[in-house]
Amino acid sequence: MKGYAMLKIGETGWIEKERPACGPNDAIVKPLALSPCTSDIHTVWEGALGDRHNMILGHEGCGEVVEVGSAVKDFKKGDRILVAAITPDWMSVEAQAGYPMHSGGMLAGWKFSNFKDGVFGEYFHVNDADGNLAHLPSNISVEEACMLSDMVPTGFHGVELANIKFGETVLVVGIGPVGLMAVAGANLRGASRIIVVGSRPGTIEVAKKYGATDAISYKDGPIDQQVLEMTGGKGVDKAIIAGGGVDTFEPVVKVLKPGGTIGNVNYLGSGTYIQIPRVEWGVGMGHKTITGGLMPGGRDRLEKLASLISVGKLDVSLLLTHRFKGFEKVEDALFLMKDKPADLIKPVVTL
Ligand code: NDP
Ligand code: ZN
Protein backbone atom coordinates (compact mmCIF):
# COMPACT_ATOMS: atom_id res chain seq x y z
CA MET A 1 0.00 0.00 0.00
CA LYS A 2 0.96 3.65 -0.41
CA GLY A 3 1.54 6.07 2.46
CA TYR A 4 2.81 9.59 3.01
CA ALA A 5 5.75 9.37 5.40
CA MET A 6 8.44 11.08 7.40
CA LEU A 7 11.59 9.78 5.68
CA LYS A 8 13.88 11.35 8.27
CA ILE A 9 14.00 14.64 10.23
CA GLY A 10 13.12 17.43 7.80
CA GLU A 11 12.10 15.15 4.93
CA THR A 12 8.79 13.65 3.82
CA GLY A 13 7.62 11.63 0.80
CA TRP A 14 5.44 8.84 -0.56
CA ILE A 15 6.50 5.28 0.29
CA GLU A 16 5.25 1.72 -0.33
CA LYS A 17 4.66 -0.57 2.65
CA GLU A 18 2.96 -3.88 3.43
CA ARG A 19 -0.66 -3.47 4.52
CA PRO A 20 -0.63 -3.78 8.35
CA ALA A 21 -1.59 -7.15 9.86
CA CYS A 22 -4.69 -7.45 12.05
CA GLY A 23 -4.25 -9.05 15.52
CA PRO A 24 -7.19 -10.57 17.43
CA ASN A 25 -8.16 -7.30 19.16
CA ASP A 26 -7.36 -4.99 16.27
CA ALA A 27 -9.02 -3.39 13.27
CA ILE A 28 -7.71 -2.38 9.87
CA VAL A 29 -9.29 0.81 8.58
CA LYS A 30 -9.41 2.51 5.18
CA PRO A 31 -9.45 6.32 5.64
CA LEU A 32 -12.45 8.37 4.46
CA ALA A 33 -11.00 11.75 5.47
CA LEU A 34 -7.68 12.90 6.91
CA SER A 35 -6.26 16.02 8.47
CA PRO A 36 -2.66 17.03 9.13
CA CYS A 37 -1.76 18.51 12.51
CA THR A 38 0.70 21.03 13.90
CA SER A 39 2.14 18.06 15.81
CA ASP A 40 3.14 16.43 12.47
CA ILE A 41 5.13 19.61 11.78
CA HIS A 42 6.89 19.46 15.18
CA THR A 43 7.65 15.78 14.56
CA VAL A 44 9.07 16.15 11.04
CA TRP A 45 10.62 19.60 10.91
CA GLU A 46 11.67 20.07 14.53
CA GLY A 47 12.53 16.41 15.10
CA ALA A 48 10.75 16.86 18.43
CA LEU A 49 10.28 13.12 19.05
CA GLY A 50 13.71 12.16 17.76
CA ASP A 51 14.46 10.65 14.39
CA ARG A 52 11.94 8.42 12.68
CA HIS A 53 12.62 6.68 9.38
CA ASN A 54 10.00 5.90 6.73
CA MET A 55 7.17 6.26 9.25
CA ILE A 56 3.76 7.00 7.76
CA LEU A 57 2.53 10.30 9.20
CA GLY A 58 -0.85 11.42 10.47
CA HIS A 59 -3.04 10.79 13.51
CA GLU A 60 -6.26 12.59 12.56
CA GLY A 61 -8.85 10.90 10.40
CA CYS A 62 -11.94 8.78 10.20
CA GLY A 63 -12.57 5.74 8.07
CA GLU A 64 -14.29 2.51 7.17
CA VAL A 65 -13.38 -0.77 8.81
CA VAL A 66 -12.05 -3.34 6.31
CA GLU A 67 -11.07 -6.09 8.75
CA VAL A 68 -11.45 -6.88 12.46
CA GLY A 69 -9.68 -9.45 14.66
CA SER A 70 -11.46 -12.51 16.07
CA ALA A 71 -11.89 -10.95 19.55
CA VAL A 72 -13.44 -7.65 18.41
CA LYS A 73 -17.10 -7.53 19.48
CA ASP A 74 -18.64 -4.19 18.54
CA PHE A 75 -17.22 -3.35 15.11
CA LYS A 76 -17.34 -5.17 11.80
CA LYS A 77 -16.25 -4.78 8.20
CA GLY A 78 -18.02 -1.83 6.53
CA ASP A 79 -18.59 0.19 9.74
CA ARG A 80 -17.78 3.90 9.47
CA ILE A 81 -15.74 4.90 12.47
CA LEU A 82 -14.19 7.71 14.49
CA VAL A 83 -10.75 7.15 15.97
CA ALA A 84 -8.74 9.36 18.32
CA ALA A 85 -5.11 10.34 17.78
CA ILE A 86 -4.30 8.58 21.05
CA THR A 87 -5.05 4.84 21.05
CA PRO A 88 -4.11 3.41 24.47
CA ASP A 89 -3.70 -0.21 25.48
CA TRP A 90 -6.70 -0.41 27.75
CA MET A 91 -5.42 -3.50 29.61
CA SER A 92 -2.27 -1.69 30.75
CA VAL A 93 -1.61 -0.78 34.39
CA GLU A 94 -1.26 2.89 33.39
CA ALA A 95 -4.79 2.84 31.93
CA GLN A 96 -6.04 1.21 35.14
CA ALA A 97 -4.37 4.00 37.10
CA GLY A 98 -6.30 6.60 35.07
CA TYR A 99 -3.57 7.54 32.61
CA PRO A 100 -4.37 5.63 29.42
CA MET A 101 -2.41 8.12 27.29
CA HIS A 102 0.76 6.89 29.03
CA SER A 103 -0.03 3.19 28.61
CA GLY A 104 3.29 1.39 28.18
CA GLY A 105 5.39 4.45 29.11
CA MET A 106 5.28 8.23 28.95
CA LEU A 107 3.20 9.36 25.92
CA ALA A 108 3.14 5.75 24.64
CA GLY A 109 -0.63 5.82 24.10
CA TRP A 110 0.27 8.09 21.20
CA LYS A 111 1.07 5.38 18.70
CA PHE A 112 0.08 6.81 15.30
CA SER A 113 3.06 8.46 13.61
CA ASN A 114 5.11 8.08 16.78
CA PHE A 115 5.58 4.37 17.60
CA LYS A 116 3.92 2.95 14.49
CA ASP A 117 2.67 4.05 11.09
CA GLY A 118 0.02 6.76 11.19
CA VAL A 119 -3.22 7.23 9.32
CA PHE A 120 -1.87 8.77 6.08
CA GLY A 121 -1.81 5.34 4.42
CA GLU A 122 -4.25 3.50 2.19
CA TYR A 123 -4.94 1.45 5.32
CA PHE A 124 -4.11 1.96 8.98
CA HIS A 125 -4.03 -0.29 12.02
CA VAL A 126 -5.98 0.34 15.25
CA ASN A 127 -5.06 -1.59 18.41
CA ASP A 128 -7.76 -2.45 20.99
CA ALA A 129 -10.49 -1.72 18.44
CA ASP A 130 -13.39 -2.06 20.91
CA GLY A 131 -11.74 0.51 23.19
CA ASN A 132 -10.39 2.90 20.59
CA LEU A 133 -13.04 3.12 17.85
CA ALA A 134 -16.47 4.73 17.96
CA HIS A 135 -19.27 4.53 15.41
CA LEU A 136 -19.49 7.65 13.25
CA PRO A 137 -22.93 9.24 13.87
CA SER A 138 -24.89 9.67 10.63
CA ASN A 139 -25.30 13.44 11.10
CA ILE A 140 -21.55 14.13 11.37
CA SER A 141 -19.66 14.61 8.10
CA VAL A 142 -16.37 12.80 7.51
CA GLU A 143 -14.59 16.19 7.54
CA GLU A 144 -16.07 17.15 10.91
CA ALA A 145 -15.27 13.66 12.16
CA CYS A 146 -11.54 14.35 11.68
CA MET A 147 -11.78 17.16 14.26
CA LEU A 148 -12.84 14.53 16.82
CA SER A 149 -9.49 12.74 16.48
CA ASP A 150 -7.45 15.46 18.12
CA MET A 151 -8.63 19.08 18.00
CA VAL A 152 -11.79 18.63 20.07
CA PRO A 153 -10.40 16.09 22.57
CA THR A 154 -7.14 18.02 23.05
CA GLY A 155 -8.71 21.48 23.36
CA PHE A 156 -11.28 20.06 25.77
CA HIS A 157 -8.53 18.28 27.72
CA GLY A 158 -6.98 21.70 28.28
CA VAL A 159 -10.29 22.70 29.87
CA GLU A 160 -10.28 19.56 32.02
CA LEU A 161 -6.67 20.13 33.09
CA ALA A 162 -7.39 23.74 34.04
CA ASN A 163 -10.55 22.53 35.83
CA ILE A 164 -12.69 25.41 34.64
CA LYS A 165 -15.75 26.28 36.69
CA PHE A 166 -18.82 28.53 36.34
CA GLY A 167 -18.09 32.22 36.18
CA GLU A 168 -14.32 31.98 36.05
CA THR A 169 -12.11 34.31 34.05
CA VAL A 170 -10.01 32.20 31.71
CA LEU A 171 -6.97 32.98 29.60
CA VAL A 172 -6.46 30.88 26.47
CA VAL A 173 -3.00 31.35 24.98
CA GLY A 174 -2.95 30.25 21.35
CA ILE A 175 -6.04 30.12 19.17
CA GLY A 176 -5.09 27.74 16.45
CA PRO A 177 -7.60 24.87 16.16
CA VAL A 178 -6.58 23.41 19.55
CA GLY A 179 -6.92 26.74 21.35
CA LEU A 180 -10.22 27.43 19.60
CA MET A 181 -11.60 24.14 20.91
CA ALA A 182 -10.31 25.09 24.36
CA VAL A 183 -12.33 28.32 24.05
CA ALA A 184 -15.44 26.35 23.00
CA GLY A 185 -14.91 23.91 25.89
CA ALA A 186 -14.33 26.67 28.46
CA ASN A 187 -17.52 28.34 27.25
CA LEU A 188 -19.48 25.08 27.63
CA ARG A 189 -18.03 24.72 31.15
CA GLY A 190 -19.47 28.11 32.09
CA ALA A 191 -16.46 30.43 32.04
CA SER A 192 -17.46 34.11 32.16
CA ARG A 193 -14.70 36.20 30.66
CA ILE A 194 -12.52 34.34 28.13
CA ILE A 195 -9.41 36.28 27.09
CA VAL A 196 -7.63 34.84 24.07
CA VAL A 197 -4.11 35.37 22.79
CA GLY A 198 -3.42 35.21 19.04
CA SER A 199 -2.32 37.57 16.32
CA ARG A 200 -4.43 36.69 13.28
CA PRO A 201 -7.70 38.65 12.87
CA GLY A 202 -9.44 35.66 11.26
CA THR A 203 -8.79 33.32 14.16
CA ILE A 204 -9.74 36.02 16.67
CA GLU A 205 -13.09 36.37 14.91
CA VAL A 206 -13.65 32.61 15.12
CA ALA A 207 -12.59 32.62 18.80
CA LYS A 208 -15.33 35.19 19.48
CA LYS A 209 -17.88 32.90 17.81
CA TYR A 210 -16.76 30.14 20.21
CA GLY A 211 -17.20 32.38 23.25
CA ALA A 212 -14.09 34.58 23.61
CA THR A 213 -14.94 37.95 25.17
CA ASP A 214 -11.56 39.70 24.78
CA ALA A 215 -8.53 39.24 22.53
CA ILE A 216 -4.93 40.37 22.70
CA SER A 217 -1.93 39.78 20.46
CA TYR A 218 1.39 38.49 21.78
CA LYS A 219 2.92 40.76 19.13
CA ASP A 220 1.60 43.87 20.92
CA GLY A 221 3.79 43.49 24.02
CA PRO A 222 4.12 41.11 26.97
CA ILE A 223 0.99 39.02 27.53
CA ASP A 224 1.12 39.52 31.32
CA GLN A 225 1.10 43.30 31.07
CA GLN A 226 -1.81 43.29 28.65
CA VAL A 227 -3.86 40.84 30.74
CA LEU A 228 -3.20 42.67 34.01
CA GLU A 229 -4.22 45.92 32.39
CA MET A 230 -7.50 44.56 31.05
CA THR A 231 -8.39 42.85 34.36
CA GLY A 232 -7.63 45.87 36.58
CA GLY A 233 -4.51 44.14 37.93
CA LYS A 234 -6.48 41.09 39.14
CA GLY A 235 -5.38 38.50 36.57
CA VAL A 236 -7.23 35.30 35.70
CA ASP A 237 -8.62 32.31 37.58
CA LYS A 238 -7.45 29.71 35.09
CA ALA A 239 -5.34 29.48 31.96
CA ILE A 240 -5.03 27.08 29.05
CA ILE A 241 -1.86 27.08 26.98
CA ALA A 242 -2.31 25.95 23.37
CA GLY A 243 0.41 27.94 21.63
CA GLY A 244 3.73 29.67 22.15
CA GLY A 245 6.73 27.85 23.59
CA VAL A 246 8.78 27.27 26.73
CA ASP A 247 8.82 31.04 27.38
CA THR A 248 5.01 31.24 27.49
CA PHE A 249 4.72 29.85 31.04
CA GLU A 250 6.40 32.80 32.73
CA PRO A 251 3.85 35.50 31.76
CA VAL A 252 0.96 33.11 32.41
CA VAL A 253 2.15 32.30 35.95
CA LYS A 254 2.40 36.05 36.50
CA VAL A 255 -1.28 36.65 35.67
CA LEU A 256 -2.67 33.60 37.45
CA LYS A 257 -4.50 34.30 40.73
CA PRO A 258 -3.49 32.27 43.81
CA GLY A 259 -5.32 28.95 43.63
CA GLY A 260 -5.28 29.11 39.84
CA THR A 261 -4.32 26.36 37.45
CA ILE A 262 -2.56 26.33 34.10
CA GLY A 263 -3.57 23.47 31.82
CA ASN A 264 -1.02 23.08 29.05
CA VAL A 265 -1.77 21.08 25.91
CA ASN A 266 0.90 22.72 23.78
CA TYR A 267 3.52 20.38 22.31
CA LEU A 268 6.82 22.00 23.31
CA GLY A 269 8.88 21.27 20.23
CA SER A 270 12.07 23.02 21.29
CA GLY A 271 13.91 24.50 24.28
CA THR A 272 15.30 22.73 27.34
CA TYR A 273 13.76 24.31 30.45
CA ILE A 274 10.61 26.12 31.49
CA GLN A 275 11.19 29.11 33.76
CA ILE A 276 8.78 29.68 36.63
CA PRO A 277 9.00 33.21 38.08
CA ARG A 278 9.83 32.79 41.78
CA VAL A 279 8.07 35.88 43.16
CA GLU A 280 4.86 35.60 41.15
CA TRP A 281 4.73 31.89 41.98
CA GLY A 282 4.21 33.09 45.53
CA VAL A 283 7.89 32.39 46.43
CA GLY A 284 6.88 28.74 46.19
CA MET A 285 3.67 29.12 48.22
CA GLY A 286 1.17 30.66 45.80
CA HIS A 287 -1.02 27.60 45.23
CA LYS A 288 -0.54 28.06 41.50
CA THR A 289 -0.71 24.71 39.74
CA ILE A 290 0.98 24.02 36.43
CA THR A 291 -0.13 20.87 34.67
CA GLY A 292 0.10 19.57 31.13
CA GLY A 293 -1.16 16.51 29.40
CA LEU A 294 -1.69 14.44 26.34
CA MET A 295 -5.37 13.81 25.75
CA PRO A 296 -6.73 10.50 27.02
CA GLY A 297 -8.30 8.90 23.91
CA GLY A 298 -10.87 6.09 24.09
CA ARG A 299 -14.30 5.22 22.82
CA ASP A 300 -16.35 6.61 25.70
CA ARG A 301 -14.74 10.02 25.31
CA LEU A 302 -15.12 9.95 21.51
CA GLU A 303 -18.81 9.08 21.76
CA LYS A 304 -19.47 11.81 24.32
CA LEU A 305 -17.59 14.50 22.39
CA ALA A 306 -19.27 13.42 19.14
CA SER A 307 -22.66 13.76 20.84
CA LEU A 308 -21.94 17.48 21.42
CA ILE A 309 -21.70 17.88 17.64
CA SER A 310 -24.66 15.60 16.93
CA VAL A 311 -27.03 17.59 19.15
CA GLY A 312 -25.80 20.93 17.83
CA LYS A 313 -23.92 22.20 20.91
CA LEU A 314 -20.53 22.26 19.19
CA ASP A 315 -19.90 23.39 15.61
CA VAL A 316 -16.50 22.24 14.37
CA SER A 317 -17.14 23.36 10.80
CA LEU A 318 -15.71 26.81 11.67
CA LEU A 319 -12.27 25.14 11.91
CA LEU A 320 -12.35 23.71 8.39
CA THR A 321 -10.84 26.49 6.31
CA HIS A 322 -9.10 24.48 3.55
CA ARG A 323 -10.63 21.45 1.84
CA PHE A 324 -8.89 19.00 -0.50
CA LYS A 325 -10.15 15.99 -2.45
CA GLY A 326 -8.11 12.84 -3.14
CA PHE A 327 -5.58 10.83 -1.11
CA GLU A 328 -2.58 12.31 -2.95
CA LYS A 329 -3.58 15.79 -1.67
CA VAL A 330 -2.43 14.80 1.83
CA GLU A 331 0.97 16.09 0.80
CA ASP A 332 -0.37 19.56 -0.14
CA ALA A 333 -2.41 19.69 3.05
CA LEU A 334 0.64 18.88 5.20
CA PHE A 335 2.75 21.55 3.50
CA LEU A 336 -0.06 24.05 3.95
CA MET A 337 0.04 23.25 7.68
CA LYS A 338 3.80 23.81 7.65
CA ASP A 339 3.58 27.15 5.82
CA LYS A 340 0.55 28.27 7.83
CA PRO A 341 -0.99 31.04 5.69
CA ALA A 342 -2.84 33.66 7.72
CA ASP A 343 -6.31 32.34 6.83
CA LEU A 344 -5.54 28.72 7.75
CA ILE A 345 -7.11 27.05 10.73
CA LYS A 346 -7.34 23.46 9.63
CA PRO A 347 -6.99 21.67 6.28
CA VAL A 348 -8.95 18.48 5.67
CA VAL A 349 -8.69 15.93 2.85
CA THR A 350 -11.59 13.74 1.79
CA LEU A 351 -10.73 10.56 -0.08
P1 NDP B 1 -1.38 26.50 15.72
O1 NDP B 1 0.04 26.67 15.32
O2 NDP B 1 -2.43 26.47 14.68
O3 NDP B 1 -1.76 27.65 16.75
C1 NDP B 1 -0.85 28.20 17.64
C2 NDP B 1 -1.43 29.43 18.26
O4 NDP B 1 -0.46 29.98 19.16
C3 NDP B 1 -1.78 30.52 17.28
O5 NDP B 1 -2.95 31.17 17.70
C4 NDP B 1 -0.60 31.48 17.39
O6 NDP B 1 -0.96 32.81 17.08
C5 NDP B 1 -0.25 31.36 18.85
N1 NDP B 1 1.12 31.72 19.14
C6 NDP B 1 2.21 31.55 18.38
N2 NDP B 1 3.30 32.02 18.99
C7 NDP B 1 2.89 32.51 20.18
C8 NDP B 1 3.56 33.14 21.26
N3 NDP B 1 4.86 33.36 21.26
N4 NDP B 1 2.83 33.51 22.33
C9 NDP B 1 1.50 33.27 22.37
N5 NDP B 1 0.81 32.69 21.38
C10 NDP B 1 1.51 32.31 20.29
O7 NDP B 1 -1.41 25.17 16.59
P2 NDP B 1 -2.59 24.12 16.91
O8 NDP B 1 -3.76 24.83 17.45
O9 NDP B 1 -2.75 23.22 15.75
O10 NDP B 1 -1.88 23.29 18.06
C11 NDP B 1 -1.49 23.92 19.27
C12 NDP B 1 -0.47 23.05 19.98
O11 NDP B 1 -1.08 21.89 20.52
C13 NDP B 1 0.64 22.56 19.05
O12 NDP B 1 1.87 22.66 19.74
C14 NDP B 1 0.28 21.11 18.84
O13 NDP B 1 1.38 20.34 18.50
C15 NDP B 1 -0.27 20.77 20.22
N6 NDP B 1 -1.08 19.56 20.30
C16 NDP B 1 -1.10 18.89 21.47
C17 NDP B 1 -1.84 17.74 21.65
C18 NDP B 1 -1.98 17.06 22.99
O14 NDP B 1 -2.55 15.97 23.08
N7 NDP B 1 -1.53 17.66 24.07
C19 NDP B 1 -2.57 17.19 20.52
C20 NDP B 1 -2.61 18.05 19.36
C21 NDP B 1 -1.85 19.16 19.24
P3 NDP B 1 -1.13 33.40 15.58
O15 NDP B 1 -1.08 32.26 14.63
O16 NDP B 1 -2.42 34.10 15.60
O17 NDP B 1 0.04 34.31 15.41
ZN1 ZN C 1 -3.07 16.26 15.89
Side-chain angles (χ1 to χ4, degrees), residues 31-344:
L32 292 171
L34 296 166
S35 185
C37 178
T38 307
S39 302
D40 294 311
I41 309 304
H42 292 307
T43 301
V44 178
W45 283 281
E46 291 175 19
L49 297 170
D51 215 351
R52 298 284 192 277
H53 293 275
N54 301 329
M55 177 188 73
I56 296 177
L57 285 164
H59 52 261
E60 298 182 21
C62 66
E64 185 182 309
V65 174
V66 296
E67 186 182 349
V68 292
S70 55
V72 174
K73 296 191 201 76
D74 299 332
F75 297 89
K76 60 180 189 319
K77 190 175 171 200
D79 286 349
R80 286 155 69 91
I81 55 84
L82 300 167
V83 63
I86 307 305
T87 52
D89 295 313
W90 291 98
M91 297 280 272
S92 66
V93 286
E94 292 88 355
Q96 288 175 29
Y99 293 93
M101 66 296 267
H102 302 299
S103 61
M106 188 151 69
L107 309 183
W110 174 11
K111 298 178 190 298
F112 288 135
S113 65
N114 184 10
F115 292 115
K116 71 174 186 186
D117 283 325
V119 301
F120 293 173
E122 286 177 280
Y123 300 94
F124 62 86
H125 167 272
V126 181
N127 58 293
D128 274 7
D130 281 326
N132 286 319
L133 297 179
H135 292 281
L136 170 60
S138 57
N139 66 348
I140 297 182
S141 73
V142 293
E143 292 160 309
E144 291 169 337
C146 293
M147 300 302 103
L148 284 162
S149 291
D150 197 359
M151 299 300 96
V152 178
T154 296
F156 279 47
H157 193 47
V159 175
E160 292 164 338
L161 290 172
N163 190 20
I164 289 167
K165 299 190 176 141
F166 298 127
E168 287 183 330
T169 295
V170 177
L171 176 67
V172 179
V173 183
I175 45 169
V178 172
L180 288 170
M181 287 301 94
V183 172
N187 198 41
L188 282 166
R189 276 273 184 109
S192 56
R193 204 165 175 195
I194 302 177
I195 303 167
V196 298
V197 182
S199 77
R200 294 178 286 155
T203 54
I204 290 172
E205 199 181 304
V206 176
K208 289 193 171 157
K209 288 188 181 143
Y210 281 126
T213 54
D214 308 78
I216 58 175
S217 169
Y218 60 94
K219 293 181 179 165
D220 291 345
I223 298 172
D224 48 314
Q225 282 175 20
Q226 296 187 67
V227 172
L228 288 173
E229 202 169 298
M230 73 197 322
T231 56
K234 289 203 170 92
V236 300
D237 297 299
K238 302 284 170 63
I240 300 167
I241 300 182
V246 289
D247 297 336
T248 306
F249 291 80
E250 184 174 344
V252 180
V253 168
K254 286 182 178 172
V255 301
L256 199 64
K257 291 182 193 171
T261 302
I262 297 173
N264 176 73
V265 287
N266 196 22
Y267 175 169
L268 299 170
S270 54
T272 308
Y273 294 104
I274 291 166
Q275 305 251 34
I276 301 171
R278 181 182 60 85
V279 171
E280 290 88 348
W281 204 45
V283 291
M285 298 177 282
H287 290 102
K288 296 190 182 187
T289 305
I290 303 169
T291 177
L294 182 68
M295 59 100 156
R299 176 170 165 192
D300 174 61
R301 186 175 172 82
L302 268 174
E303 287 177 353
K304 285 177 176 154
L305 294 176
S307 71
L308 287 171
I309 300 177
S310 286
V311 303
K313 292 201 175 180
L314 175 66
D315 177 8
V316 291
S317 70
L318 301 178
L319 303 179
L320 306 172
T321 51
H322 292 67
R323 294 165 197 257
F324 295 86
K325 250 191 166 27
F327 182 42
E328 68 288 355
K329 296 286 189 207
V330 159
E331 181 169 22
D332 295 347
L334 182 75
F335 275 86
L336 190 74
M337 206 66 190
K338 177 172 182 273
D339 299 339
K340 212 150 268 187
D343 61 341
L344 177 80

